[in-house]
Amino acid sequence: MSALVGLEQTRDAARLVEALRALTGLLQAQGDDHLTQAFVTWLHQGLRVAGRLPAGEGDPLTQLQETQTMLEENVREWTREWLEQGIEQGRAQGVEQGRHEERALLCRQAARKFDAGAAEKLAAALVGVTDPDRLGRVGDWIIECATASELLARVRDNNGSGG
């Protein structure tokens, strides 16, 4: 029973494989085909619901060993998928953080060249702008424009282009 509870409560991939190995060892030692078949059925139903197991029949112990092997492979695959998802999420967050910092730098430059009011208006105009080329053009305009109103007019006039 403790092996079953350990298997059900495991959230860590390595411990899940460990718990399944322990359960397999206990069932082999027990030699009870009906009990083994019950565990195989339970595992198969859970994996089938998760979309990880096709239907099949056979010797309960062989099924359990095959299930263990398949589960170990699935755990490796799930771990790889989770890692990839984490990398993608981290990359997206990093890009967004970079865009946020770029917009903040542009506003700081506008405040330095013009005034704080121009920077506040520029910040409002740049909310949601993610296109790096557009942000780069705004940087060029800060240098090129003689007045804050000229800068803000260019930003406003180009609001629809480039995201």
Side-chain angles (χ1 to χ4, degrees), residues 111-133:
R112 182 133 188 190
K113 182 170 182 181
F114 303 113
D115 59 30
E120 287 177 21
K121 290 176 184 172
L122 180 61
L126 294 180
V127 168
V129 174
T130 58
D131 179 37
D133 293 332

Side-chain angles (χ1 to χ4, degrees), residues 23-161:
L23 179 60
T24 302
L26 288 171
L27 289 171
Q28 284 176 329
Q30 197 71 359
D32 185 341
D33 285 344
H34 294 296
L35 184 60
T36 301
Q37 183 59 50
F39 278 110
V40 168
T41 301
W42 175 74
L43 284 169
H44 279 211
Q45 286 174 344
L47 291 170
R48 204 171 287 124
V49 167
R52 299 290 184 171
L53 182 70
E57 296 206 15
D59 171 52
L61 193 52
T62 302
Q63 276 190 342
L64 186 59
Q65 290 167 335
E66 289 172 359
T67 300
Q68 177 181 339
T69 301
M70 184 199 52
L71 188 56
E72 288 175 11
E73 291 170 7
N74 284 339
V75 165
R76 281 192 293 275
E77 178 67 18
W78 294 334
T79 302
R80 186 188 61 73
E81 289 172 6
W82 295 331
L83 181 61
E84 286 177 6
Q85 289 171 358
I87 289 170
E88 288 302 314
Q89 288 174 345
R91 185 175 295 135
Q93 289 172 348
V95 167
E96 178 52 36
Q97 179 66 28
R99 297 288 184 262
H100 174 76
E101 290 172 6
E102 189 171 4
R103 289 188 297 265
L105 176 62
L106 292 170
C107 292
R108 195 172 94 217
Q109 290 173 333
R112 182 133 188 190
K113 182 170 182 181
F114 303 113
D115 59 30
E120 287 177 21
K121 290 176 184 172
L122 180 61
L126 294 180
V127 168
V129 174
T130 58
D131 179 37
D133 293 332
R134 177 141 186 252
L135 292 171
R137 285 193 307 270
V138 171
D140 293 341
W141 297 335
I142 290 171
I143 294 169
E144 296 168 0
C145 292
T147 66
S149 56
E150 181 184 354
L151 169 66
L152 295 170
R154 280 195 188 183
V155 171
R156 186 177 50 251
D157 292 345
N158 288 280
N159 199 19
S161 67

